[in-house]
Amino acid sequence: MARRRQQPRRLLTEDHLNVGSRTGTARITYWTGTGADLATVRAVGADDLPELVDMVKDEVIRALAEAWDVGDADGTVFSLRRYEGADHPSYDVVVDRDRVVGTFFHEGGLAHQHVIVRDDASGPVAEIETHRHVHQLLERDGAELAECRRTYDPAGNDPTGEIWSIDITGETGPLDRRVLVAAPLVCHLIAHQERRFDPDSTIATSLLIAVPPVGGAMIVAERVMDGVYWLRRKLD
């Protein structure tokens, strides 16, 4: 009896995808339109954290996670694994547990993030450039492969609720399709975030009462830093 042909996974056939916290919770998913989620993004090792940090688990894993699994009802579609040979958070796209099909090498950037995209042979074949808030994934010869953009930026500059989208041109060029699908999730993970140290200015406020000159100077410095973070995200 002939074997039934396996149907392609829908996550890898859609040309428009959204990724992020669809319902305003900590859960990150992929979806398109108004239908059901196509895949769930899960931090590897999240379930191994002690109960003591359960209340802040989402913040902890977003800051410390070294790997993320993107899976649907049939299992893992691909994984993102932190690439250690970089000064800024960079990611390998891994399939079949250990095969790297592409790498997002993050070079940093004061205003815009600059990312080199490598193929499965570790050769640079594309890059992500930012133009008017659109993150374009371009081949080295300039041909466009996809566009990513932040479509929802929650109040309070809170990254846990933001949503990114991707529009794929239909041509993957030298890259595996899974690398293109991973691009908006990578943009989400490397995006400029808000100030993490004393975000509510509790320490500065206490010092303002106890030692006014020091507390006042610290509050001014924090406000300047918050402004820089806000501007960088708006330029993304």
Side-chain angles (χ1 to χ4, degrees), residues 14-158:
E14 296 288 336
D15 290 333
H16 176 81
L17 291 165
N18 303 299
V19 61
S21 181
R22 185 180 192 180
T23 61
T25 63
R27 186 168 177 258
I28 305 176
T29 61
Y30 274 86
W31 76 94
T32 184
T34 58
D37 291 339
L38 301 180
T40 300
V41 181
R42 177 181 175 275
V44 176
D47 294 336
D48 298 330
L49 292 174
E51 294 182 2
L52 181 64
V53 299
D54 188 64
M55 295 297 293
V56 293
K57 179 181 290 187
D58 182 62
E59 183 65 22
V60 171
I61 62 178
R62 283 170 186 265
L64 302 179
E66 296 297 315
W68 302 78
D69 285 340
V70 177
D72 59 14
D74 295 321
T76 302
V77 182
F78 64 86
S79 299
L80 287 184
R81 186 171 60 203
R82 283 286 291 269
Y83 175 71
E84 297 181 354
D87 295 330
H88 302 278
S90 301
Y91 295 90
D92 286 329
V93 181
V94 181
V95 301
D96 303 329
R97 296 188 177 181
D98 59 1
R99 183 166 66 91
V100 177
V101 293
T103 300
F104 291 88
F105 186 84
H106 181 201
E107 295 185 321
L110 180 61
H112 297 309
Q113 311 278 21
H114 187 249
V115 179
I116 298 295
V117 186
R118 300 171 177 171
D119 60 11
D120 54 357
S122 296
V125 296
E127 58 188 340
I128 297 179
E129 296 182 353
T130 304
H131 301 283
R132 296 182 179 179
H133 308 292
V134 177
H135 300 246
Q136 296 177 309
L137 204 164
L138 307 170
E139 286 191 68
R140 299 306 290 270
D141 63 3
E144 185 175 73
L145 300 175
E147 289 185 352
C148 299
R149 67 187 72 207
R150 186 191 287 113
T151 57
Y152 177 66
D153 196 2
N157 200 24
D158 179 7

Side-chain angles (χ1 to χ4, degrees), residues 161-233:
E162 70 180 27
I163 295 172
W164 286 76
S165 68
I166 183 170
D167 288 291
I168 301 173
T169 63
E171 298 293 333
T172 63
L175 293 171
D176 188 291
R177 177 87 175 188
R178 288 164 290 195
V179 177
L180 300 187
V181 172
L185 178 56
V186 171
C187 288
H188 170 79
L189 293 173
I190 70 174
H192 292 119
Q193 306 294 357
E194 64 183 346
R195 174 169 54 90
R196 293 185 180 276
F197 174 74
D198 191 26
D200 297 325
S201 299
T202 303
I203 297 175
T205 301
S206 299
L207 287 175
L208 182 63
I209 297 173
V211 189
V214 176
M218 189 171 180
I219 286 178
V220 170
E222 288 180 347
R223 292 296 173 267
V224 171
M225 188 178 299
D226 287 339
V228 171
Y229 276 94
W230 177 87
L231 180 60
R232 290 172 75 180
R233 281 179 65 83

